[in-house]
Amino acid sequence: MKQKPTLKVIAKELDVSVSTVSKALRDSKEIGEETKKKVKAFAKLYNYRPNNIALSLKNKKTKTLGVIIPEIVHHFFTTVISGIEHYANDKGYNVIVGLSNESFKKEVINLEMLANGSIDGFIISVAKETLSFKDFHHFSETIDQGIPIVMFDRVIDDIECDKVIVDDVKTSEKAVQKLIDGGCKNIGIISTKDYVNVGRLRTEGYKNTLNANHIKIQNSRILKIDDKFNSDDNLEFLEEQIYTYFEENEVDGLFTVNELYAITAMKVARQKGLTIPDDLQVIGFTDGVLSRHAYPSLTTISQHGFEMGEESAKLLIDRLENPNEEEELFKTIVVKTDIIDRETTKLRNPKK
Amino acid sequence: MKQKPTLKVIAKELDVSVSTVSKALRDSKEIGEETKKKVKAFAKLYNYRPNNIALSLKNKKTKTLGVIIPEIVHHFFTTVISGIEHYANDKGYNVIVGLSNESFKKEVINLEMLANGSIDGFIISVAKETLSFKDFHHFSETIDQGIPIVMFDRVIDDIECDKVIVDDVKTSEKAVQKLIDGGCKNIGIISTKDYVNVGRLRTEGYKNTLNANHIKIQNSRILKIDDKFNSDDNLEFLEEQIYTYFEENEVDGLFTVNELYAITAMKVARQKGLTIPDDLQVIGFTDGVLSRHAYPSLTTISQHGFEMGEESAKLLIDRLENPNEEEELFKTIVVKTDIIDRETTKLRNPKK
DNA sequence: CCTTGCAGCTACAACGTTTTCGTGTTGATA
DNA sequence: TATCAACACGAAAACGTTGTAGCTGCAAGG
């Protein structure tokens, strides 16, 4: 086991000073050709790599991004991470991942754990619990310390920072309109409680479209699932709620704010003897593995998570590398969405 | 925007030395009660947190684990990451994620990018390309530099390091036996090319069980998918191969080495008019979202990814914190597997 | 009165870099 | 011969922290 060589040991070995070695390796013109060649050869031989930590300390930047998400076992978030990784790696940045598990406390801990100089900036999707508590001090404090934050998907309006979102309202309008155009008369929505902004906005789009089509809104057709900050073993709970929903509502079109709700609803519908898409058409949000491989395969809205990740990373790195340029001018990037036509809807959209 | 306070500014402000501040905060008995109280109050007020980077440099350890996996958009890997995160966070470690995308080159780059002092050790699942090239120099060099590696799932026998695996052979034997017990006469397997060790081992188990039951092995019933180092848009390719497979083989029982193969096979089987599980029983490997929400829901083998992650992190952190104790005595932990009975098999196992 | 001990604090080195500012040697120029 | 620039290199500081060793003043013991 040979230890990593440092400038110091190279210097001693070659009987020159540390500064000379450093400069030689960086090809400074202060150093003679001879010496440069000698040093470089030696460095190569011993596989010298500058110590990142020392560089971080000196430069006061770590070239590392902190990503804090509610959950990693979730297709949307992993595609976003892929996007972040892709862009960040390209720019020479590393990505360090923190999981909040939808918990406020874990989010705070993760933030603090990383805000000690370990990372240059954050990319965050806010935990449900945090959204429900409405306690955002950890974000403002972090920003106050000069550490920039980019929020994506689950963002907080009151926090001033860069954001990457989809146009939830418009997208949901498109989806519901599609159901209407496909012949649905009684359209329902399965959403989340209102403190989750994306749920609220998507519900808003649903209502807008009904209004625009002069269809009366029936509140019983709006199911707001409270998934208690964890999406693990509450599958039965979810099924129950949806079962009751179907008991009380006769719908022929259904829009859900994520794919799990859609898949589960299809399962329940099947139990009740409905066929899809003949008796019931379904559109989900977020294009994940479930949608693609469901039977019948689910028509969904693609959020383009990969792009969202890339945009988030770009926003953050731009801000890191061009500080106080356009200071305090925070951007919100709206990533476009697409409806992916599959088997749970009748109408095919020829126009992309 | 207030900058992070350092020991130095606290010292200056309080008109004591830096060492005094440091010691006061660490409750050293060298410092008088008065001074301690004063310093602590001040530190609290200004929300002082020791700079992690400086500590890392001094202690020569970063309290950060590097995880390099082939892909993150994959349920198994994300559950493993969850497990790693869980254990690591508990022990005060951070997790930095690198994606190889099944590419040898990216794996090497990621390793080098992190081996510069950024992390204390690695947890790795090897890229398919690396397995096929059989070029493992980057691993041995890393270990040689004193950076420990733990490999999980896709491991390399020739590299001496800690490993966390499932007993692929035994597990696959169990699964195939279950198909036999469930009345299947013609059992096939969809696996990967042999350079992927897990694929090879699972195929081995399949053969073992057929032999043990005096069933003749037919090579045409063994389909080895070559997914070309990426699992993205080769879905049609996969479907094609499976379609041909079904054309050439009449099977009533199918074991696949992952859930995607199983789901796809079910889809193709359905197209060919087979009903599941009446005409065809299926068991997959890796319990993911697909299996649970498929229709019919898929009987699978649970690899307990979360546990594998925890075990990997434990192995690594143990080694980091107790160096040269049991030096060179590498462990291989075999995590148990379970068959999760669902709707694609006929026989229900009452015994867990 | 001189040592010894101790409490309470400070100075300094070290971790590995980079960078600024020397400094000595050469050769050319006035 | 004195001056000066160019060249090749070294010393030292800095990033923020901790641990060791050293320093001061005071009280107790001989």
Side-chain angles (χ1 to χ4, degrees):
Chain A
M1 171 176 130
K2 55 182 172 203
Q3 279 299 338
K4 290 233 80 174
T6 67
L7 290 185
K8 207 198 281 190
V9 320
I10 299 184
K12 194 178 290 174
E13 213 69 27
L14 259 47
D15 210 35
V16 291
S17 81
V18 174
S19 351
T20 305
V21 179
S22 172
K23 288 171 186 164
L25 291 175
R26 328 199 91 241
D27 235 344
S28 158
K29 53 189 166 308
E30 287 182 56
I31 306 298
E33 282 307 320
E34 287 294 292
T35 321
K36 275 194 206 172
K37 218 173 276 178
K38 194 176 62 179
V39 171
K40 283 182 183 170
F42 194 92
K44 185 154 207 170
L45 180 64
Y46 284 88
N47 195 32
Y48 169 79
R49 298 259 178 279
N51 181 309
N52 236 310
I53 296 293
L55 286 180
S56 297
L57 182 59
K58 186 137 208 358
N59 302 332
K60 289 169 152 271
K61 48 176 75 170
T62 60
K63 289 238 153 199
T64 303
L65 272 30
V67 176
I68 298 182
I69 51 172
E71 232 185 312
I72 199 168
V73 189
H74 194 304
H75 190 266
F76 171 65
F77 287 123
T78 54
T79 49
V80 174
I81 293 185
S82 290
I84 294 173
E85 257 273 333
H86 183 248
Y87 189 89
N89 266 15
D90 231 51
K91 297 278 176 180
Y93 281 75
N94 279 121
V95 173
I96 177 160
V97 175
L99 268 31
S100 69
N101 280 316
E102 303 286 10
S103 137
F104 172 73
K105 200 168 155 197
K106 268 213 74 182
E107 192 173 81
V108 174
I109 291 175
N110 258 300
L111 221 73
E112 282 180 353
M113 203 161 164
L114 296 176
N116 294 293
S118 306
I119 54 99
D120 295 341
F122 283 108
I123 298 179
I124 297 178
S125 190
V126 184
K128 278 184 191 162
E129 208 180 38
T130 308
L131 292 170
S132 116
F133 288 1
K134 295 201 198 313
D135 183 348
F136 308 137
H137 76 277
H138 51 310
F139 298 133
S140 26
E141 273 170 18
T142 305
I143 295 173
D144 224 49
Q145 275 171 24
I147 304 177
I149 292 182
V150 175
M151 293 189 178
F152 73 90
D153 198 55
R154 304 220 287 244
V155 304
I156 297 166
D157 290 340
D158 296 342
I159 298 284
E160 297 215 325
C161 65
D162 292 316
K163 287 159 195 165
V164 178
I165 51 171
V166 298
D167 188 335
D168 288 288
V169 179
K170 270 228 188 72
T171 304
S172 131
E173 287 173 2
K174 265 200 297 188
V176 176
Q177 188 63 51
K178 184 182 172 71
L179 288 173
I180 293 175
D181 294 347
C184 297
K185 300 294 175 208
N186 306 308
I187 300 176
I189 181 172
I190 303 184
S191 181
T192 61
K193 292 281 176 197
D194 278 347
Y195 56 75
V196 184
N197 58 337
V198 297
R200 190 185 60 236
L201 295 171
R202 289 167 198 176
T203 306
E204 196 181 314
Y206 163 81
K207 291 180 178 172
N208 290 349
T209 310
L210 293 195
N211 279 331
N213 288 271
H214 312 294
I215 299 175
K216 191 159 167 278
I217 293 170
Q218 296 184 30
N219 280 326
S220 71
R221 290 201 181 140
I222 302 175
L223 175 58
K224 291 181 182 168
I225 305 277
D226 185 5
D227 47 10
K228 308 258 178 64
F229 319 138
N230 83 61
S231 67
D232 233 26
D233 285 309
N234 50 2
L235 202 60
E236 307 82 31
F237 174 68
L238 181 61
E239 280 180 30
E240 256 170 55
Q241 286 187 78
I242 294 178
Y243 192 88
T244 319
Y245 176 81
F246 275 121
E247 290 285 302
E248 293 165 359
N249 293 280
E250 207 157 288
V251 296
D252 58 358
L254 192 59
F255 175 56
T256 72
V257 299
N258 61 44
E259 61 173 11
L260 182 59
Y261 291 176
I263 298 291
T264 311
M266 282 164 63
K267 186 171 164 194
V268 174
R270 216 162 15 226
Q271 285 168 11
K272 298 188 67 76
L274 300 173
T275 48
I276 297 168
D278 295 331
D279 302 331
L280 176 68
Q281 299 186 48
V282 185
I283 299 182
F285 213 110
T286 305
D287 181 42
V289 269
L290 279 181
S291 311
R292 206 169 333 172
H293 296 102
Y295 176 70
S297 64
L298 181 67
T299 297
T300 55
I301 290 171
S302 168
Q303 272 181 101
H304 300 293
F306 193 85
E307 276 180 36
M308 290 185 77
E310 282 185 320
E311 290 291 347
S312 304
K314 182 165 166 18
L315 234 38
L316 183 53
I317 292 175
D318 277 359
R319 190 165 291 276
L320 289 173
E321 304 200 332
N322 312 306
N324 59 22
E325 176 188 304
E326 322 171 72
E327 174 110 16
E328 307 306 290
L329 220 156
F330 294 108
K331 293 183 200 154
T332 293
I333 290 186
V334 179
V335 173
K336 79 167 191 325
T337 54
D338 287 316
I339 296 188
I340 301 182
D341 275 314
R342 282 195 278 245
E343 303 165 0
T344 56
T345 45
K346 289 182 189 161
L347 190 71
R348 289 288 166 278
N349 268 6
K351 48 172 173 155
K352 190 191 159 122
Chain B
M1 172 177 131
K2 55 182 173 203
Q3 280 299 338
K4 292 233 79 175
T6 66
L7 290 185
K8 207 198 279 187
V9 319
I10 298 184
K12 195 178 289 174
E13 213 71 27
L14 260 44
D15 210 36
V16 292
S17 80
V18 174
S19 344
T20 305
V21 179
S22 170
K23 287 173 182 158
L25 291 174
R26 326 201 93 239
D27 237 344
S28 158
K29 52 189 165 305
E30 289 182 55
I31 307 296
E33 281 307 319
E34 287 295 289
T35 320
K36 274 193 204 171
K37 220 175 272 178
K38 195 175 61 178
V39 171
K40 282 182 184 172
F42 195 91
K44 186 155 206 170
L45 181 64
Y46 284 87
N47 195 31
Y48 169 80
R49 298 259 177 279
N51 181 309
N52 235 310
I53 298 293
L55 286 179
S56 298
L57 182 59
K58 186 140 208 356
N59 304 331
K60 291 171 152 267
K61 50 175 74 170
T62 61
K63 289 235 150 201
T64 302
L65 272 30
V67 176
I68 298 181
I69 51 172
E71 231 185 311
I72 198 168
V73 189
H74 196 304
H75 190 265
F76 171 65
F77 287 123
T78 54
T79 50
V80 175
I81 293 185
S82 289
I84 295 174
E85 258 272 333
H86 182 248
Y87 189 87
N89 267 14
D90 231 52
K91 297 277 175 183
Y93 281 75
N94 278 121
V95 173
I96 179 161
V97 176
L99 268 32
S100 68
N101 279 316
E102 304 286 11
S103 138
F104 172 73
K105 202 169 153 196
K106 270 214 71 182
E107 190 174 82
V108 175
I109 291 175
N110 258 299
L111 220 72
E112 283 180 354
M113 204 162 163
L114 296 176
N116 295 294
S118 305
I119 52 100
D120 294 341
F122 283 108
I123 297 179
I124 297 178
S125 189
V126 184
K128 279 183 190 162
E129 206 179 41
T130 307
L131 292 170
S132 116
F133 288 2
K134 294 200 198 314
D135 183 347
F136 309 137
H137 75 280
H138 50 311
F139 297 133
S140 27
E141 274 172 18
T142 304
I143 294 173
D144 224 48
Q145 276 172 22
I147 304 177
I149 293 182
V150 175
M151 293 188 178
F152 73 90
D153 199 56
R154 303 221 289 244
V155 303
I156 297 167
D157 290 339
D158 296 343
I159 299 283
E160 296 215 327
C161 64
D162 292 315
K163 287 160 195 167
V164 177
I165 52 171
V166 297
D167 188 335
D168 288 290
V169 179
K170 270 229 188 73
T171 304
S172 132
E173 287 173 4
K174 265 201 296 187
V176 176
Q177 188 62 51
K178 184 183 172 69
L179 288 173
I180 294 175
D181 294 346
C184 297
K185 299 293 175 208
N186 306 306
I187 299 176
I189 180 172
I190 304 184
S191 181
T192 62
K193 292 280 176 195
D194 278 347
Y195 56 75
V196 183
N197 57 337
V198 296
R200 190 187 56 233
L201 295 172
R202 291 168 197 176
T203 307
E204 196 180 315
Y206 162 82
K207 290 182 179 170
N208 290 351
T209 310
L210 293 195
N211 278 331
N213 288 271
H214 312 295
I215 301 175
K216 194 160 166 272
I217 294 169
Q218 297 186 28
N219 280 327
S220 71
R221 290 203 180 139
I222 301 175
L223 175 59
K224 291 181 183 168
I225 306 277
D226 186 5
D227 48 9
K228 307 258 180 64
F229 318 138
N230 82 62
S231 68
D232 232 25
D233 284 309
N234 50 2
L235 201 61
E236 308 81 33
F237 175 69
L238 182 61
E239 281 180 29
E240 257 172 55
Q241 286 188 77
I242 294 178
Y243 192 87
T244 318
Y245 175 81
F246 275 122
E247 290 285 302
E248 294 165 358
N249 293 280
E250 207 158 289
V251 296
D252 58 359
L254 192 58
F255 175 55
T256 72
V257 300
N258 60 45
E259 60 173 11
L260 182 60
Y261 292 176
I263 298 290
T264 310
M266 280 163 64
K267 186 171 164 192
V268 174
R270 215 162 18 225
Q271 283 168 12
K272 299 188 69 77
L274 301 173
T275 47
I276 296 167
D278 295 332
D279 302 332
L280 177 67
Q281 298 185 49
V282 184
I283 298 182
F285 214 108
T286 305
D287 181 42
V289 270
L290 279 180
S291 310
R292 206 168 334 170
H293 296 103
Y295 176 71
S297 64
L298 181 67
T299 297
T300 54
I301 290 174
S302 168
Q303 272 180 102
H304 301 293
F306 193 85
E307 276 179 36
M308 289 183 78
E310 283 185 321
E311 290 290 348
S312 305
K314 182 163 166 20
L315 235 38
L316 183 52
I317 292 175
D318 276 0
R319 190 164 290 277
L320 288 172
E321 305 199 333
N322 313 305
N324 60 23
E325 176 189 304
E326 322 171 71
E327 175 109 15
E328 307 305 288
L329 219 156
F330 293 108
K331 295 183 199 154
T332 293
I333 291 187
V334 179
V335 173
K336 80 168 192 321
T337 54
D338 286 316
I339 296 189
I340 301 181
D341 274 315
R342 281 194 279 247
E343 303 166 358
T344 56
T345 44
K346 289 183 191 161
L347 191 69
R348 290 287 167 280
N349 268 5
K351 46 168 178 160
K352 190 185 160 127

